[in-house]
Amino acid sequence: MKKIFCLALMAVAAMGVSAQNIQVHYDFGRNIYPDQEDGRQKVTVTLEQFKADQWGSWYYFVDVDLTNKFTEGAYTEISREFNIGKKGFAAHVEYDGGLNKSGSFQQAALLGGAYNGHNADFSKTWSVQLMYKRFFKSYEYSSAYNSVQLTGVWGLNFANKKCTFSGFVDFWRGENADGKGQLVILSEPQFWYNVTDHFSVGGEVEVSNNFIYNTYDDKSFFVNPTLAVKWNF
C-alpha cells in the first residue's frame, strides 16, 4: 500500500502545501493462496504524507501489518526530490526498509532521476523514475548487491472527482536464494470512491512476480486484492 498520492502529488506541489491520509486494508491473499501465503497478514494500516516546498518534495509511507495477536511488521519508504528546472525533472533520493517479527526487511537506498507531469486541471498525473538501487546485507541470509529500478506512477480523477484510479508499477533486479539475478515486478493499482472530501472507500490489487517469499512451491506470480477505507486529513 504505497505511493497513492498519484493525483494529489502534483496538485499539492503546485500549491506548495501538504497532504496526508490513513488507510485500513483487509487483504484476501491468504484466502486465495492458503498454502503459499499461509502467513500473510489480513489487515494493513497505511499512513502516508506528501509535502512540497520551494526545492522539491518529501514523501513517505509506513505500512503496519496486523494480526489478531500482535503486530506482524512495519515497512517504510521515504524519499526526497529536488526539482531540476521547470520542465518536470527532479533528482530522487530514497530509503526503503522495516522490521517484522522474524527480524527485518532487507534495506535499500535508491538514487536517480524522475520526470513528473500532469494535465491542465491536475485530473491526470504521472511520474517516471529511473534509479540505481543498492541492497544492504540486513540479516544473516541476505547479501548486499547492486540493482536498477524503474518506477511508473499514475493518477486519474474522474466522475466529478468522485472516483480516483491510481497506482504504481516497479521493475527491479532482485536476487533469488542462489544469488542469481531475476526480474521483480510489483504493481498496486487502487480504485477509490470519494464519499466526501475526507472519506473514501475502495481497495487495491497487488500484482507481483518474484516478490513474495514462497517456500511451499515454485509459484512466483500472485494477485492479492484488498478492500479498504481511507481518511484524508
Side-chain angles (χ1 to χ4, degrees):
M1 282 43 115
K2 69 173 187 174
K3 303 176 184 173
I4 70 150
F5 280 109
C6 308
L7 175 68
L9 187 150
M10 296 304 301
V12 299
M15 295 182 291
V17 295
S18 63
Q20 186 178 38
N21 73 60
I22 188 169
Q23 308 164 41
V24 180
H25 289 256
Y26 185 86
D27 193 297
F28 293 94
R30 200 164 71 188
N31 302 94
I32 300 173
Y33 310 103
D35 296 319
Q36 295 90 346
E37 296 190 312
D38 62 336
R40 187 179 179 89
Q41 83 291 340
K42 287 195 172 183
V43 177
T44 296
V45 177
T46 298
L47 174 68
E48 63 180 347
Q49 183 175 25
F50 174 86
K51 181 174 178 59
D53 54 42
Q54 59 181 324
W55 300 288
S57 61
W58 284 99
Y59 170 79
Y60 79 87
F61 78 88
V62 180
D63 280 347
V64 180
D65 297 329
L66 304 175
T67 70
N68 58 356
K69 295 181 180 179
F70 45 71
T71 299
E72 184 81 12
Y75 175 80
T76 185
E77 293 186 5
I78 181 169
S79 64
R80 171 72 200 188
E81 288 197 350
F82 297 93
N83 295 332
I84 301 174
K86 298 182 179 181
K87 301 294 185 179
F89 292 98
H92 184 104
V93 183
E94 182 176 327
Y95 165 80
D96 304 344
L99 300 172
N100 59 31
K101 65 177 183 179
S102 301
S104 66
F105 295 95
Q106 188 165 12
Q107 299 181 93
L110 297 90
L111 175 64
Y115 177 72
N116 306 309
H118 59 86
N119 65 350
D121 63 357
F122 295 95
S123 62
K124 298 178 182 178
T125 64
W126 59 88
S127 176
V128 179
Q129 304 155 17
L130 180 62
M131 297 165 287
Y132 162 75
K133 188 173 188 177
R134 173 67 176 180
F135 285 95
F136 300 100
K137 182 177 176 62
S138 301
Y139 46 91
E140 184 178 356
Y141 299 105
S142 67
S143 60
Y145 63 94
N146 299 316
S147 179
V148 175
Q149 179 169 308
L150 176 65
T151 293
V153 186
W154 71 89
L156 175 63
N157 199 19
F158 59 99
N160 197 27
K161 298 183 180 181
K162 279 296 185 180
C163 297
T164 300
F165 176 61
S166 59
F168 73 92
V169 58
D170 289 335
F171 304 89
W172 74 87
R173 177 192 176 274
E175 288 189 356
N176 60 23
D178 298 328
K180 295 181 179 179
Q182 61 182 6
L183 175 63
V184 182
I185 302 173
L186 176 63
S187 183
E188 293 182 2
Q190 296 188 341
F191 176 81
W192 297 100
Y193 177 74
N194 304 311
V195 181
T196 70
D197 290 341
H198 295 285
F199 181 69
S200 303
V201 295
E204 73 175 21
V205 180
E206 180 191 273
V207 182
S208 68
N209 192 56
N210 292 324
F211 175 72
I212 292 175
Y213 184 65
N214 171 25
T215 60
Y216 181 79
D217 56 21
D218 60 356
K219 181 177 177 58
S220 62
F221 180 79
F222 293 88
V223 178
N224 294 298
T226 77
L227 288 177
V229 293
K230 178 174 66 171
W231 182 265
N232 295 296
F233 294 97

